């Protein structure tokens, strides 16, 4: 099987971004930095076990919401932790989405959201969906209240 490595294009902050991400997620580290006398070109790093690359390519391309990193969270504490750290200096958005201070989009999503929204009872699933649509950061207790209400 071929190896697939996410490749992120930054203007000039690839190394700072990689260090920032590695500081937030366990099992993360900078693997290799390629630089010349003037600048850092590329940073290979492991983010929670996933190898990624960050490239300083200049201002030609910008991140959009069309590409995001999806963080599966088991608990509200995990949601809160990643939401707070990744959104600091960035932009919070709806339904668990945010842009970090480097412009990269993230989805901070508790596993409970998918579980509750996939219920065979479409009325329950719809109530969970409607509750989520009103949120920025996802709140598991609010989702569960919506699920159980009649």
């Amino acid at each position: 099987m071929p190896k697939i490595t996410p490749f992120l294009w930054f203007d000039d902050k690839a190394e700072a971004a990689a260090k920032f991400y590695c500081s937030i997620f366990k099992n993360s580290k900078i693997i290799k930095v390629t630089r010349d006398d003037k600048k850092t070109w590329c940073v290979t790093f492991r983010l929670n076990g996933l190898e990624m690359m960050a490239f300083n390519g200049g201002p030609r391309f910008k991140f959009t919401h069309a590409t995001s990193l999806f963080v599966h969270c088991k608990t509200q504490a995990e949601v809160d932790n990643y939401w707070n750290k990744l959104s600091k200096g960035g932009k919070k958005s709806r339904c668990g989405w945010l842009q970090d201070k480097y412009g990269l989009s993230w989805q901070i999503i508790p596993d409970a959201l998918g579980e509750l929204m996939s219920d065979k009872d479409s009325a329950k699933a719809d109530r969970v969906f409607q509750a989520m649509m009103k949120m920025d950061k996802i709140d598991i207790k609010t989702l569960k209240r919506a699920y159980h209400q009649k």
Side-chain angles (χ1 to χ4, degrees):
M1 287 271 256
K3 181 177 178 179
I4 298 172
T5 303
F7 188 90
L8 306 172
W9 181 299
F10 292 85
D11 183 359
D12 64 352
K13 304 279 189 237
E15 188 169 10
K19 287 179 180 178
F20 175 65
Y21 304 145
C22 287
S23 76
I24 294 173
F25 293 93
K26 294 178 182 176
N27 193 24
S28 300
K29 68 178 185 173
I30 303 295
I31 298 169
K32 180 180 177 185
V33 179
T34 304
R35 53 172 66 94
D36 62 21
D37 294 342
K38 298 178 184 175
K39 70 183 259 183
T40 297
W41 285 101
C42 191
V43 181
T44 303
F45 62 106
R46 189 165 291 120
L47 189 61
N48 197 27
L50 174 66
E51 188 171 305
M52 302 180 72
M53 295 179 76
F55 175 70
N56 283 326
R60 184 171 180 187
F61 299 110
K62 300 291 181 196
F63 292 119
T64 72
H65 289 296
T67 301
S68 62
L69 298 180
F70 190 105
V71 182
H72 296 267
C73 299
K74 292 188 184 331
T75 66
Q76 188 65 49
E78 285 182 346
V79 170
D80 296 345
N81 176 56
Y82 295 125
W83 180 267
N84 293 335
K85 288 178 178 177
L86 288 165
S87 68
K88 188 175 183 177
K91 297 177 188 171
K92 298 173 184 175
S93 192
R94 306 294 290 166
C95 306
W97 289 67
L98 64 86
Q99 273 187 316
D100 67 32
K101 62 186 174 181
Y102 300 102
L104 183 60
S105 291
W106 297 79
Q107 296 179 62
I108 311 302
I109 307 297
D111 294 339
L113 177 63
E115 293 163 8
L116 297 171
M117 284 183 55
S118 63
D119 193 282
K120 291 178 183 178
D121 183 334
S122 62
K124 287 181 176 181
D126 186 57
R127 288 194 306 267
V128 172
F129 177 77
Q130 294 305 322
M132 180 213 47
M133 292 299 291
K134 296 174 185 171
M135 297 178 188
D136 289 345
K137 178 180 71 174
I138 304 296
D139 181 76
I140 297 170
K141 284 183 184 177
T142 302
L143 295 176
K144 287 182 177 180
R145 273 196 304 272
Y147 178 85
H148 292 293
Q149 98 190 102
K150 294 185 182 189

